[in-house]
Amino acid sequence: MGQYELIFTIDHLEEDRAFEISNTIDVMYSEHGRTSLLTVTSEGDTALAAATDVVAQLETQFGVVIHRAYEDLVTKADIAERAGATVQAVGQWARGVRRKELRFPEPFNLVGGGVWLWADVNEWLREAGKAYDDDLLYPNRDELELINAWLKNRKSGQPSRRINLVHLGSAMSEQNGVQFTASARSTRGVHASAVRAPDVVWTRADYEMAG
């Protein structure tokens, strides 16, 4: 059982609704242009189990409209800030100049000099013995695919339908009544808002201070 940090794209929340949610769940709501994100922690044996539990609570208790799990993408500067390192050091990790024995994760996308999935970087930092470790778990690419396949599949009203996924090799898994199998094709992109400051951010602490 682990504590996962999950990010979802959702329909816009009015301030009072975000305040209501924050009184029950530790969340951070942010707006990036027309994209609304909700960051939340949830406990589960797997990332998918954690996601299904918190999605059910957000939808049934608060009426949140959830679209998909969102990738926590970080730049070299973001990695440096989170890991307590310099941007120069992160650049050397990425180029293999330092810690050659432990290969740094491949970028998720090459936009803006490269962005990485935080789950990959966080795992690398732990394996490298770096000081950073917040004890939270983050969904990797495969787990994000599973969560998004489940979100998409349940809307179709066919919870047992087989879904083609990527980055799962030839393995097949079955979780929460949904069967998944691999596909060889993958298309990926990155939303520009993933690497810029949000327009609006509300956290639980903000609401507690406002109250």
Side-chain angles (χ1 to χ4, degrees):
M1 185 76 71
Q3 193 79 7
Y4 287 86
E5 181 176 284
L6 304 164
I7 306 174
F8 297 102
T9 60
I10 64 172
D11 277 1
H12 168 77
L13 290 179
E14 296 297 336
E15 184 178 333
D16 57 345
R17 177 55 58 86
F19 177 78
E20 179 186 0
I21 297 171
S22 73
N23 283 332
T24 304
I25 307 174
D26 189 9
V27 300
M28 181 178 73
Y29 173 68
S30 59
E31 295 178 359
H32 306 252
R34 291 185 296 177
T35 301
S36 299
L37 300 178
L38 193 68
T39 303
V40 61
T41 57
S42 179
E43 194 172 65
D45 290 328
T46 65
L48 179 60
T52 56
D53 285 347
V54 76
V55 165
Q57 183 178 13
L58 289 169
E59 290 182 332
T60 59
Q61 189 172 348
F62 302 106
V64 177
V65 178
I66 295 174
H67 300 292
R68 63 182 297 271
Y70 195 79
E71 300 85 358
D72 186 4
L73 300 178
V74 289
T75 64
K76 292 175 185 176
D78 295 327
I79 296 170
E81 181 179 357
R82 296 190 188 189
T86 65
V87 176
Q88 181 182 14
V90 175
Q92 291 176 338
W93 297 341
R95 295 193 304 272
V97 176
R98 298 172 62 179
R99 302 308 304 258
K100 296 180 181 179
E101 75 283 1
L102 189 59
R103 185 180 178 86
F104 198 74
E106 292 294 324
F108 187 92
N109 194 293
L110 296 177
V111 64
V115 290
W116 285 260
L117 188 64
W118 176 242
D120 295 339
V121 176
N122 189 54
E123 182 63 26
W124 184 90
L125 289 170
R126 289 176 176 173
E127 292 180 4
K130 300 300 179 183
Y132 180 88
D133 193 339
D134 58 9
D135 294 326
L136 285 175
L137 299 175
Y138 303 87
N140 59 33
R141 298 188 190 202
D142 293 347
E143 291 168 329
L144 287 168
E145 296 283 0
L146 286 171
I147 294 169
N148 282 324
W150 170 72
L151 286 169
K152 180 180 179 180
N153 198 42
R154 72 198 183 111
K155 292 179 180 179
S156 72
Q158 301 179 40
S160 297
R161 184 168 61 90
R162 179 174 292 184
I163 303 172
N164 286 330
L165 296 180
V166 296
H167 301 301
L168 295 181
S170 59
M172 182 183 295
S173 64
E174 187 168 352
Q175 298 189 48
N176 288 36
V178 183
Q179 190 177 48
F180 304 95
T181 186
S183 169
R185 185 173 62 86
S186 172
T187 56
R188 289 192 175 275
V190 58
H191 195 285
S193 66
V195 291
R196 68 177 177 86
D199 303 314
V200 178
V201 177
W202 286 93
T203 67
R204 185 172 189 170
D206 293 324
Y207 295 118
E208 290 173 349
M209 291 177 63

